[in-house]
Amino acid sequence: MNYMLKKRSVLLIYTGGTIGMVENKETGTLEPFDFDHLLNEVPELQQFNLNIGTYQFNPPIDSSDMVPDHWVKIARIINYNYQRYDGFVVLHGTDTMAYTASALSFMLENLAKPVILTGSQLPIGTLRTDGKENLITAIEIASDYLPNGLAKVPEVCVFFDSQLMRGNRTTKISAEYFQAFASNNYPSLAHANIHIRYASEDHFLKTPEKPLNVHLNMSRDVFIFSLFPGIQETQVRQLFNTPRLKGVVMRTFGSGNAPQKKWLLDCLKEAIDNGLSVVNVTQCSTGAVEMQRYETGVHLSNIGVICGHDITVEAALTKLMFLIGEGYNNKAIRKLMQTSLAGEITV
Ligand code: ASP
């Protein structure tokens, strides 16, 4: 069969976000509007030789309101439509897009088709919108297949401002610029300029041979906390006493360092010995945690803090939610947090 001649199909899942918003003339605030309207704003979509299906969240939501139940909903929609479509484009607010992309990368095990998240900084109905460009190219990438019938991008990605990035490597970096996302610790998977130039094959996840396996249990018993100069014992103790808390992303200094206060190490050790998984993620936007590099890091390692390597906070949090939700014990969580499951860390 000549796979290049096959008419491809893409499912557009509209969750909400600026891309589909209009200005309320009375209050001046941006509010979501109907998806049909979005399609009217982009008549160019009809020029694609594709079958484009749509699914709309009702009501559409600002991504600041996203919770794990919404990720489950997106994963379910993809699972339900997996055989019918060649690719999926998820329109999503930019604020928490990196969390959703990271979560989906763990929830959609053995993904062999593109799942591309995109959105925009300016609503699609405005003159200078970045939304059209993002949407049109995301659809093109989601329907891009190799002559052998395999998807070019068999993974969850974010496409934004001409760049295709592995979803679980992204972070929102700007509330102002069209370049709203960065993948600081992993190269872009494609640049879309006059041509869409993909990175070489070895940058992508391998197309799995096993069928899609969707995981829908995401634990909520997790927390992110940042160290800062002057952090107090009562604050940390109160956090670790949170009922049912099972996983914590601890944002440390530099290459994974923490103040060498005895009380902090005691608090951490006690919590870890009682079953809490604590992952060490750097506050720096690039680079990795190396716990053997400084004495402060070695102490953390000795009491059982897990090295997060070069993972983003978004990926560390959602990976913990996933592993705890799947019922792994502490030992397995420690091992899997340091294993690349969906290309989220370099080890
Ligand atoms: N507040 C919006 C959202 O995340 C911002 C955006 O879409 O850019 O839904």
Side-chain angles (χ1 to χ4, degrees), residues 15-21 30 61-66 92-97 118-122 130 160 172 174-175 180-181:
T15 68
T18 297
I19 192 160
M21 288 187 178
L30 292 175
I61 55 166
D62 187 293
S63 78
S64 320
D65 282 324
M66 278 271 168
H92 194 289
T94 56
D95 290 346
T96 64
M97 192 187 293
T118 194
S120 67
Q121 293 283 59
L122 281 175
D130 51 330
F160 220 92
K172 184 170 179 181
S174 180
F181 289 90

Side-chain angles (χ1 to χ4, degrees), residues 48-171:
F48 274 118
N49 182 26
L50 292 172
N51 295 316
I52 299 182
T54 57
Y55 183 98
Q56 169 171 7
F57 269 39
N58 197 4
I61 55 166
D62 187 293
S63 78
S64 320
D65 282 324
M66 278 271 168
V67 293
D69 285 346
H70 295 115
W71 305 336
V72 167
K73 183 169 170 176
I74 299 170
R76 278 213 168 102
I77 296 166
I78 293 173
N79 193 22
Y80 183 76
N81 290 286
Y82 197 65
Q83 298 311 328
R84 290 194 18 223
Y85 291 93
D86 299 296
F88 301 84
V89 171
V90 181
L91 295 176
H92 194 289
T94 56
D95 290 346
T96 64
M97 192 187 293
Y99 288 91
T100 302
S102 299
L104 289 175
S105 76
F106 304 119
M107 296 166 86
L108 304 173
E109 188 189 1
N110 300 329
L111 182 70
K113 299 185 176 184
V115 172
I116 315 294
L117 282 85
T118 194
S120 67
Q121 293 283 59
L122 281 175
I124 212 151
T126 57
L127 258 184
R128 293 177 50 249
T129 185
D130 51 330
K132 275 194 189 184
E133 189 76 34
N134 288 346
L135 172 61
I136 289 170
T137 310
I139 293 176
E140 198 162 332
I141 292 171
S143 57
D144 214 348
Y145 272 67
L146 295 160
N148 63 6
L150 297 179
K152 276 207 173 145
V153 183
E155 51 180 289
V156 178
C157 287
V158 166
F159 179 78
F160 220 92
D161 191 40
S162 329
Q163 289 211 66
L164 183 72
M165 294 159 275
R166 176 166 296 157
N168 57 30
R169 293 288 193 153
T170 58
T171 300

Side-chain angles (χ1 to χ4, degrees), residues 18-33:
T18 297
I19 192 160
M21 288 187 178
V22 275
E23 192 178 293
N24 180 320
K25 294 275 178 293
E26 280 163 28
T27 62
T29 53
L30 292 175
E31 293 172 355
F33 65 76

